[in-house]
């Protein structure tokens, strides 16, 4: 069974710090990796996606992928209180639905 | 991005009844999925809604309980049949619009079963 594992948290960081969110997956055939943010009572929204090993940066967000270790992470620099949400890691193979982890709750204190 | 409209946005239902959730997309999409998010949990895939054929269900979900229709490339329905309190969840319609794996989500339908 394909699984995506995340530490549920909560992860608490002070404003301005770096938040590091981690995710592991079981299916070696996974090709696409996504990070979604979900505010309470809202639908998930895409933060970043990554397909290739290495780092991908977009503003304050950096996604890191290591397929050999089956590991993907999300770094949030200069964390803001508005970043407080649940972050969902999701993976899939081409043409298939996303499999989601349970999510990590991030709390950024001002 | 695709605009996805779901209705109802929320409902309170009685045990043993059935409810149909509608999902309308403003453009034609090939891949459409239904997810469930139980309170405090992540998203669990119910099924892939296939246009013009029977939906593909994930382990633990069956057609008799969650019948799905997909008459065209912009519309789908999910019915939650013979509801019990355990069916109280948010049900999310999602589409893959650009063919790159990214899913866009509707606002969800929050069902409470008494």
């Amino acid at each position: 069974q394909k699984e995506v594992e995340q530490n549920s948290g909560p992860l608490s960081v002070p404003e301005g710090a770096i938040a590091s969110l981690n995710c592991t997956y079981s299916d070696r055939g996974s090709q696409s990796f996504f990070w979604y943010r979900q505010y309470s009572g809202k639908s998930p929204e895409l933060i970043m996606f990554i397909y290739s090993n290495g780092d991908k940066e977009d503003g304050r967000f950096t996604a890191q992928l290591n397929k050999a270790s089956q590991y993907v992470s999300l770094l949030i620099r200069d964390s803001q209180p508005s970043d407080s949400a649940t972050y969902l890691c999701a993976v899939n193979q081409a043409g298939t639905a996303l499999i989601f982890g349970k999510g990590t709750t991030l709390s950024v204190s001002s | 991005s695709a605009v996805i409209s779901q209705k109802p946005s929320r409902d309170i239902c009685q045990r043993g009844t059935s409810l149909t959730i509608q999902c309308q997309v403003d453009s034609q999409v090939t891949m459409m999925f239904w997810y469930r998010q139980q309170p405090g949990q992540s998203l669990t895939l119910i099924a892939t809604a296939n246009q013009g054929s029977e939906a593909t269900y994930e382990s633990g979900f069956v057609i008799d309980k969650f019948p799905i229709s997909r008459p065209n490339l912009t519309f789908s329905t999910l019915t939650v049949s013979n509801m019990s309190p355990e069916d109280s969840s948010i049900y999310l319609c999602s589409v893959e619009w650009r063919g790159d794996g990214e899913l866009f989500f509707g606002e969800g339908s929050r069902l409470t079963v008494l």
Side-chain angles (χ1 to χ4, degrees):
Chain A
Q1 186 167 346
K2 301 173 184 177
E3 294 184 342
V4 178
E5 300 287 342
Q6 292 182 256
N7 188 327
S8 63
L11 174 65
S12 298
V13 300
E15 183 175 358
I18 296 174
S20 177
L21 306 164
N22 305 312
C23 172
T24 59
Y25 58 95
S26 64
D27 183 7
R28 283 196 173 276
S30 298
Q31 297 173 298
S32 306
F33 307 86
F34 300 83
W35 283 99
Y36 282 80
R37 177 176 63 197
Q38 186 174 28
Y39 292 113
S40 180
K42 300 294 186 181
S43 294
E45 57 178 342
L46 183 71
I47 297 297
M48 290 196 67
F49 63 88
I50 186 168
Y51 302 137
S52 304
N53 278 329
D55 296 358
K56 179 181 179 182
E57 186 174 319
D58 184 0
R60 297 186 296 111
F61 300 94
T62 299
Q64 299 174 318
L65 175 62
N66 184 325
K67 289 187 178 181
S69 300
Q70 297 175 241
Y71 174 91
V72 58
S73 66
L74 179 70
L75 300 177
I76 306 174
R77 290 182 300 280
D78 188 23
S79 296
Q80 301 297 309
S82 59
D83 295 326
S84 298
T86 296
Y87 289 80
L88 302 169
C89 174
V91 306
N92 73 348
Q93 296 184 8
T96 66
L98 289 179
I99 305 299
F100 285 83
K102 293 186 182 300
T104 298
T105 300
L106 173 65
S107 176
V108 181
S109 56
S110 58
Chain B
S1 63
V3 176
I4 306 167
S5 303
Q6 265 187 254
K7 57 181 180 181
S9 58
R10 59 178 62 231
D11 207 338
I12 299 174
C13 308
Q14 296 299 315
R15 182 194 299 260
T17 62
S18 299
L19 182 78
T20 296
I21 302 167
Q22 298 181 2
C23 178
Q24 179 74 54
V25 189
D26 69 343
S27 57
Q28 292 186 338
V29 293
T30 303
M31 305 297 288
M32 185 178 286
F33 308 96
W34 286 97
Y35 284 84
R36 179 175 74 180
Q37 188 170 30
Q38 295 178 302
Q41 302 298 313
S42 187
L43 282 73
T44 300
L45 180 66
I46 297 172
T48 301
N50 300 309
Q51 192 266 326
S53 64
E54 190 172 289
T56 304
Y57 289 85
E58 296 299 302
S59 176
F61 297 95
V62 296
I63 188 172
D64 289 346
K65 176 68 175 177
F66 298 100
I68 290 171
S69 75
R70 177 95 189 268
N72 55 53
L73 293 177
T74 64
F75 185 77
S76 178
T77 66
L78 167 73
T79 299
V80 186
S81 302
N82 188 24
M83 285 185 285
S84 67
E86 292 72 32
D87 295 319
S88 297
S89 286
I90 299 172
Y91 293 85
L92 292 150
C93 170
S94 67
V95 304
E96 184 185 326
W97 181 61
R98 297 191 292 209
D100 59 1
E102 177 187 354
L103 292 187
F104 293 89
F105 287 88
E107 290 301 311
S109 299
R110 183 183 296 269
L111 301 188
T112 301
V113 184
L114 303 178

